[in-house]
Amino acid sequence: MKKSITPNQIKQNNYSLIYHYIYKNRNVSQQDISYNLRLSRPTVTANLTKMENDGLIQKSGQIDTEFVGRKASAYSIVPDFRVGIGVEILKKEVKIIAVNLYGEKIDRLAFDFDYEETESYFRTVCHKILEFKERLGLSEEHILGIGFAMQALVSPDRKTIVYGKILSCTGLSISRFTKYLPYPCSFIHDAQSAAVAELWISPELKNAFYLSISKHLGAAVITNGEFLTGKHGHSSTIEHIQMEPRGKLCYCGKHGCIETLCSLTALLEEKETPDEFFLYLRQGNLIYKKRWEHFLTNLARSVNMLHLVYDTDFILGGYLASYLCQEDLDFLYEKIRQITPFEEADDFLRISKMPKHNITIGSALPYIQKFLNTLAES
Ligand SMILES: [Zn+2]
């Protein structure tokens, strides 16, 4: 039997509806809210007053309103009412970011620090996070949680690293961090984190194959807005698909994995930076052009194979994304057409819209999303 809705639920629902309306439209008048949500003015006024008292929204100047023909008070949410923190743990560096309720960067901090599984490492990283939080003037209640993006596969409960060869951190427990941090903390696979950030700014994306092309290669498969993890947690670890049995040694111990062909490590010489490489390439240097076309040809082979498995949009993300241009996509389409059995449309490759800070931001976003989802219960 269908349960009837209680007056209290209606109240909570209105509160949440109004908050999300302001959140989505950024700067709105009481009249806009009342008209667009079909709610009475007294209901809207009462909710706005409560929300303002709760610290969730603020008056933000005056705006024109079509309903009364004069300026009215505008309301916006308080973007840093709650904050999520994202941390990326790399072999030689740690990156920290604080994001507001819009998933926007408030501030960030990066420092060189070699990863090692010692007490002093975890203590130092956590102290840096706490100092960062202090510097931003954030109180305890501001922090929704801290996501740790790892170059590793993570258990479904996000508390343990189940496979971490790059950092040699297999078996690592989140308790090594939470011991020093009084906030909810969780691990997230770095490629998934980047894909979370991509979905945040492209909410229309329901299905996609996200390729994170950075120093190392990673991927995340998104289907119906959810990430595929699989029976044993290693869905989408396409970087270890073997393309060339006699190829270069991969860090996984096998030879010729996609990682050894399509990561930035595969593209760049030792000590060469992407800035240098793309400067010479875009200046028309033929040696760089040859190297780039060799790389793109391997990328086309890999994308084609994956595309045959999952016919969906492919997002080329990671550190490489900010260097990519339409000409590169055209080259990829051409190469894919040469090897694929179907008539291929040129509409499934997309360059990431968020190549910067995507991993750190993405690791904080699940906490922001959870907060927004549960607001109705607050
Ligand atoms: Zn491998």
PDB file of all heavy atoms in Angstrom, residues 153-156 162-163 189 219 221 228-241:
ATOM      1  N   LEU A 153      43.611   0.370  -7.362  1.00  0.00           N
ATOM      2  CA  LEU A 153      42.230  -0.089  -7.310  1.00  0.00           C
ATOM      3  C   LEU A 153      41.777  -0.143  -5.859  1.00  0.00           C
ATOM      4  O   LEU A 153      42.546  -0.503  -4.970  1.00  0.00           O
ATOM      5  CB  LEU A 153      42.093  -1.471  -7.941  1.00  0.00           C
ATOM      6  CG  LEU A 153      42.427  -1.556  -9.422  1.00  0.00           C
ATOM      7  CD1 LEU A 153      42.198  -2.977  -9.932  1.00  0.00           C
ATOM      8  CD2 LEU A 153      41.600  -0.565 -10.217  1.00  0.00           C
ATOM      9  N   VAL A 154      40.513   0.210  -5.673  1.00  0.00           N
ATOM     10  CA  VAL A 154      39.992   0.436  -4.332  1.00  0.00           C
ATOM     11  C   VAL A 154      38.857  -0.553  -4.052  1.00  0.00           C
ATOM     12  O   VAL A 154      38.099  -0.892  -4.959  1.00  0.00           O
ATOM     13  CB  VAL A 154      39.495   1.908  -4.294  1.00  0.00           C
ATOM     14  CG1 VAL A 154      38.690   2.196  -3.071  1.00  0.00           C
ATOM     15  CG2 VAL A 154      40.667   2.873  -4.432  1.00  0.00           C
ATOM     16  N   SER A 155      38.725  -0.992  -2.809  1.00  0.00           N
ATOM     17  CA  SER A 155      37.647  -1.923  -2.450  1.00  0.00           C
ATOM     18  C   SER A 155      36.292  -1.211  -2.570  1.00  0.00           C
ATOM     19  O   SER A 155      36.237   0.018  -2.492  1.00  0.00           O
ATOM     20  CB  SER A 155      37.845  -2.417  -1.015  1.00  0.00           C
ATOM     21  OG  SER A 155      37.772  -1.314  -0.129  1.00  0.00           O
ATOM     22  N   PRO A 156      35.188  -1.980  -2.739  1.00  0.00           N
ATOM     23  CA  PRO A 156      33.877  -1.330  -2.918  1.00  0.00           C
ATOM     24  C   PRO A 156      33.504  -0.387  -1.766  1.00  0.00           C
ATOM     25  O   PRO A 156      32.837   0.608  -1.984  1.00  0.00           O
ATOM     26  CB  PRO A 156      32.902  -2.512  -2.989  1.00  0.00           C
ATOM     27  CG  PRO A 156      33.744  -3.658  -3.454  1.00  0.00           C
ATOM     28  CD  PRO A 156      35.112  -3.438  -2.881  1.00  0.00           C
ATOM     29  N   VAL A 162      43.042  -2.471  -3.031  1.00  0.00           N
ATOM     30  CA  VAL A 162      43.099  -3.896  -3.358  1.00  0.00           C
ATOM     31  C   VAL A 162      44.220  -4.216  -4.367  1.00  0.00           C
ATOM     32  O   VAL A 162      44.662  -5.354  -4.474  1.00  0.00           O
ATOM     33  CB  VAL A 162      41.747  -4.444  -3.866  1.00  0.00           C
ATOM     34  CG1 VAL A 162      40.717  -4.439  -2.754  1.00  0.00           C
ATOM     35  CG2 VAL A 162      41.229  -3.664  -5.067  1.00  0.00           C
ATOM     36  N   TYR A 163      44.653  -3.207  -5.120  1.00  0.00           N
ATOM     37  CA  TYR A 163      45.764  -3.417  -6.057  1.00  0.00           C
ATOM     38  C   TYR A 163      46.459  -2.077  -6.254  1.00  0.00           C
ATOM     39  O   TYR A 163      45.874  -1.139  -6.774  1.00  0.00           O
ATOM     40  CB  TYR A 163      45.234  -3.947  -7.401  1.00  0.00           C
ATOM     41  CG  TYR A 163      46.305  -4.189  -8.446  1.00  0.00           C
ATOM     42  CD1 TYR A 163      46.969  -5.409  -8.539  1.00  0.00           C
ATOM     43  CD2 TYR A 163      46.661  -3.180  -9.356  1.00  0.00           C
ATOM     44  CE1 TYR A 163      47.946  -5.629  -9.499  1.00  0.00           C
ATOM     45  CE2 TYR A 163      47.640  -3.398 -10.324  1.00  0.00           C
ATOM     46  CZ  TYR A 163      48.280  -4.620 -10.389  1.00  0.00           C
ATOM     47  OH  TYR A 163      49.242  -4.838 -11.341  1.00  0.00           O
ATOM     48  N   HIS A 189      39.771   5.510  -6.808  1.00  0.00           N
ATOM     49  CA  HIS A 189      40.701   5.223  -7.910  1.00  0.00           C
ATOM     50  C   HIS A 189      40.867   6.517  -8.720  1.00  0.00           C
ATOM     51  O   HIS A 189      39.879   7.164  -9.046  1.00  0.00           O
ATOM     52  CB  HIS A 189      40.094   4.099  -8.756  1.00  0.00           C
ATOM     53  CG  HIS A 189      40.882   3.722  -9.967  1.00  0.00           C
ATOM     54  ND1 HIS A 189      42.243   3.689  -9.979  1.00  0.00           N
ATOM     55  CD2 HIS A 189      40.490   3.382 -11.210  1.00  0.00           C
ATOM     56  CE1 HIS A 189      42.658   3.329 -11.187  1.00  0.00           C
ATOM     57  NE2 HIS A 189      41.608   3.140 -11.953  1.00  0.00           N
ATOM     58  N   ALA A 219      41.295   4.227 -16.703  1.00  0.00           N
ATOM     59  CA  ALA A 219      40.010   4.370 -17.377  1.00  0.00           C
ATOM     60  C   ALA A 219      38.870   4.179 -16.394  1.00  0.00           C
ATOM     61  O   ALA A 219      39.047   3.595 -15.319  1.00  0.00           O
ATOM     62  CB  ALA A 219      39.895   3.345 -18.510  1.00  0.00           C
ATOM     63  N   VAL A 221      34.553   3.284 -16.745  1.00  0.00           N
ATOM     64  CA  VAL A 221      33.403   3.059 -17.613  1.00  0.00           C
ATOM     65  C   VAL A 221      32.149   3.526 -16.881  1.00  0.00           C
ATOM     66  O   VAL A 221      31.892   3.109 -15.751  1.00  0.00           O
ATOM     67  CB  VAL A 221      33.260   1.564 -17.994  1.00  0.00           C
ATOM     68  CG1 VAL A 221      32.092   1.379 -18.948  1.00  0.00           C
ATOM     69  CG2 VAL A 221      34.544   1.048 -18.623  1.00  0.00           C
ATOM     70  N   LEU A 228      31.153   1.359 -13.536  1.00  0.00           N
ATOM     71  CA  LEU A 228      31.221  -0.108 -13.513  1.00  0.00           C
ATOM     72  C   LEU A 228      32.414  -0.523 -12.670  1.00  0.00           C
ATOM     73  O   LEU A 228      33.530  -0.067 -12.916  1.00  0.00           O
ATOM     74  CB  LEU A 228      31.434  -0.647 -14.925  1.00  0.00           C
ATOM     75  CG  LEU A 228      30.254  -0.877 -15.846  1.00  0.00           C
ATOM     76  CD1 LEU A 228      30.716  -1.705 -17.037  1.00  0.00           C
ATOM     77  CD2 LEU A 228      29.127  -1.597 -15.119  1.00  0.00           C
ATOM     78  N   THR A 229      32.192  -1.363 -11.684  1.00  0.00           N
ATOM     79  CA  THR A 229      33.324  -1.846 -10.895  1.00  0.00           C
ATOM     80  C   THR A 229      33.582  -3.326 -11.183  1.00  0.00           C
ATOM     81  O   THR A 229      34.720  -3.755 -11.283  1.00  0.00           O
ATOM     82  CB  THR A 229      33.087  -1.644  -9.390  1.00  0.00           C
ATOM     83  OG1 THR A 229      31.799  -2.144  -9.079  1.00  0.00           O
ATOM     84  CG2 THR A 229      33.183  -0.188  -9.005  1.00  0.00           C
ATOM     85  N   GLY A 230      32.509  -4.063 -11.370  1.00  0.00           N
ATOM     86  CA  GLY A 230      32.667  -5.466 -11.751  1.00  0.00           C
ATOM     87  C   GLY A 230      32.711  -6.413 -10.577  1.00  0.00           C
ATOM     88  O   GLY A 230      32.715  -6.003  -9.414  1.00  0.00           O
ATOM     89  N   LYS A 231      32.757  -7.686 -10.894  1.00  0.00           N
ATOM     90  CA  LYS A 231      32.682  -8.740  -9.871  1.00  0.00           C
ATOM     91  C   LYS A 231      33.849  -8.679  -8.896  1.00  0.00           C
ATOM     92  O   LYS A 231      33.696  -8.904  -7.703  1.00  0.00           O
ATOM     93  CB  LYS A 231      32.649 -10.094 -10.597  1.00  0.00           C
ATOM     94  CG  LYS A 231      32.317 -11.258  -9.703  1.00  0.00           C
ATOM     95  CD  LYS A 231      32.133 -12.520 -10.531  1.00  0.00           C
ATOM     96  CE  LYS A 231      31.937 -13.717  -9.642  1.00  0.00           C
ATOM     97  NZ  LYS A 231      31.827 -14.957 -10.431  1.00  0.00           N
ATOM     98  N   HIS A 232      35.055  -8.374  -9.416  1.00  0.00           N
ATOM     99  CA  HIS A 232      36.235  -8.367  -8.550  1.00  0.00           C
ATOM    100  C   HIS A 232      36.868  -6.990  -8.417  1.00  0.00           C
ATOM    101  O   HIS A 232      38.007  -6.867  -7.968  1.00  0.00           O
ATOM    102  CB  HIS A 232      37.279  -9.360  -9.078  1.00  0.00           C
ATOM    103  CG  HIS A 232      36.744 -10.748  -9.235  1.00  0.00           C
ATOM    104  ND1 HIS A 232      36.390 -11.271 -10.466  1.00  0.00           N
ATOM    105  CD2 HIS A 232      36.449 -11.690  -8.314  1.00  0.00           C
ATOM    106  CE1 HIS A 232      35.909 -12.490 -10.290  1.00  0.00           C
ATOM    107  NE2 HIS A 232      35.936 -12.774  -8.994  1.00  0.00           N
ATOM    108  N   GLY A 233      36.145  -5.970  -8.854  1.00  0.00           N
ATOM    109  CA  GLY A 233      36.633  -4.600  -8.671  1.00  0.00           C
ATOM    110  C   GLY A 233      37.637  -4.131  -9.708  1.00  0.00           C
ATOM    111  O   GLY A 233      38.209  -3.059  -9.563  1.00  0.00           O
ATOM    112  N   HIS A 234      37.868  -4.938 -10.767  1.00  0.00           N
ATOM    113  CA  HIS A 234      38.840  -4.451 -11.734  1.00  0.00           C
ATOM    114  C   HIS A 234      38.267  -4.247 -13.137  1.00  0.00           C
ATOM    115  O   HIS A 234      38.984  -4.338 -14.131  1.00  0.00           O
ATOM    116  CB  HIS A 234      40.113  -5.303 -11.753  1.00  0.00           C
ATOM    117  CG  HIS A 234      39.891  -6.761 -12.057  1.00  0.00           C
ATOM    118  ND1 HIS A 234      39.482  -7.191 -13.293  1.00  0.00           N
ATOM    119  CD2 HIS A 234      40.022  -7.855 -11.278  1.00  0.00           C
ATOM    120  CE1 HIS A 234      39.385  -8.514 -13.264  1.00  0.00           C
ATOM    121  NE2 HIS A 234      39.701  -8.942 -12.051  1.00  0.00           N
ATOM    122  N   SER A 235      36.979  -3.921 -13.205  1.00  0.00           N
ATOM    123  CA  SER A 235      36.429  -3.503 -14.495  1.00  0.00           C
ATOM    124  C   SER A 235      37.157  -2.251 -14.924  1.00  0.00           C
ATOM    125  O   SER A 235      37.575  -1.452 -14.081  1.00  0.00           O
ATOM    126  CB  SER A 235      34.948  -3.149 -14.344  1.00  0.00           C
ATOM    127  OG  SER A 235      34.163  -4.289 -14.464  1.00  0.00           O
ATOM    128  N   SER A 236      37.288  -2.082 -16.217  1.00  0.00           N
ATOM    129  CA  SER A 236      37.866  -0.875 -16.825  1.00  0.00           C
ATOM    130  C   SER A 236      39.365  -0.684 -16.582  1.00  0.00           C
ATOM    131  O   SER A 236      39.900   0.366 -16.869  1.00  0.00           O
ATOM    132  CB  SER A 236      37.105   0.393 -16.407  1.00  0.00           C
ATOM    133  OG  SER A 236      37.463   0.812 -15.131  1.00  0.00           O
ATOM    134  N   THR A 237      40.044  -1.726 -16.106  1.00  0.00           N
ATOM    135  CA  THR A 237      41.507  -1.599 -15.999  1.00  0.00           C
ATOM    136  C   THR A 237      42.124  -1.961 -17.353  1.00  0.00           C
ATOM    137  O   THR A 237      42.955  -2.865 -17.473  1.00  0.00           O
ATOM    138  CB  THR A 237      42.080  -2.521 -14.897  1.00  0.00           C
ATOM    139  OG1 THR A 237      41.542  -3.824 -15.092  1.00  0.00           O
ATOM    140  CG2 THR A 237      41.738  -2.020 -13.533  1.00  0.00           C
ATOM    141  N   ILE A 238      41.694  -1.188 -18.328  1.00  0.00           N
ATOM    142  CA  ILE A 238      42.074  -1.473 -19.717  1.00  0.00           C
ATOM    143  C   ILE A 238      43.564  -1.249 -19.966  1.00  0.00           C
ATOM    144  O   ILE A 238      44.107  -1.718 -20.959  1.00  0.00           O
ATOM    145  CB  ILE A 238      41.245  -0.615 -20.691  1.00  0.00           C
ATOM    146  CG1 ILE A 238      41.416   0.876 -20.350  1.00  0.00           C
ATOM    147  CG2 ILE A 238      39.778  -0.965 -20.622  1.00  0.00           C
ATOM    148  CD1 ILE A 238      42.362   1.599 -21.219  1.00  0.00           C
ATOM    149  N   GLU A 239      44.193  -0.503 -19.056  1.00  0.00           N
ATOM    150  CA  GLU A 239      45.619  -0.201 -19.261  1.00  0.00           C
ATOM    151  C   GLU A 239      46.470  -1.465 -19.323  1.00  0.00           C
ATOM    152  O   GLU A 239      47.565  -1.452 -19.865  1.00  0.00           O
ATOM    153  CB  GLU A 239      46.146   0.749 -18.170  1.00  0.00           C
ATOM    154  CG  GLU A 239      46.047   0.264 -16.727  1.00  0.00           C
ATOM    155  CD  GLU A 239      44.727   0.645 -16.057  1.00  0.00           C
ATOM    156  OE1 GLU A 239      43.700   0.758 -16.768  1.00  0.00           O
ATOM    157  OE2 GLU A 239      44.715   0.810 -14.824  1.00  0.00           O
ATOM    158  N   HIS A 240      45.953  -2.571 -18.767  1.00  0.00           N
ATOM    159  CA  HIS A 240      46.750  -3.810 -18.773  1.00  0.00           C
ATOM    160  C   HIS A 240      46.297  -4.817 -19.828  1.00  0.00           C
ATOM    161  O   HIS A 240      46.647  -5.991 -19.761  1.00  0.00           O
ATOM    162  CB  HIS A 240      46.775  -4.430 -17.375  1.00  0.00           C
ATOM    163  CG  HIS A 240      47.411  -3.515 -16.369  1.00  0.00           C
ATOM    164  ND1 HIS A 240      48.722  -3.105 -16.482  1.00  0.00           N
ATOM    165  CD2 HIS A 240      46.893  -2.885 -15.287  1.00  0.00           C
ATOM    166  CE1 HIS A 240      48.995  -2.267 -15.490  1.00  0.00           C
ATOM    167  NE2 HIS A 240      47.909  -2.116 -14.755  1.00  0.00           N
ATOM    168  N   ILE A 241      45.513  -4.352 -20.795  1.00  0.00           N
ATOM    169  CA  ILE A 241      45.207  -5.235 -21.925  1.00  0.00           C
ATOM    170  C   ILE A 241      46.477  -5.320 -22.773  1.00  0.00           C
ATOM    171  O   ILE A 241      47.067  -4.303 -23.125  1.00  0.00           O
ATOM    172  CB  ILE A 241      44.041  -4.683 -22.779  1.00  0.00           C
ATOM    173  CG1 ILE A 241      42.742  -4.698 -21.953  1.00  0.00           C
ATOM    174  CG2 ILE A 241      43.885  -5.485 -24.073  1.00  0.00           C
ATOM    175  CD1 ILE A 241      41.570  -4.041 -22.650  1.00  0.00           C
TER     176      ILE A 241
END
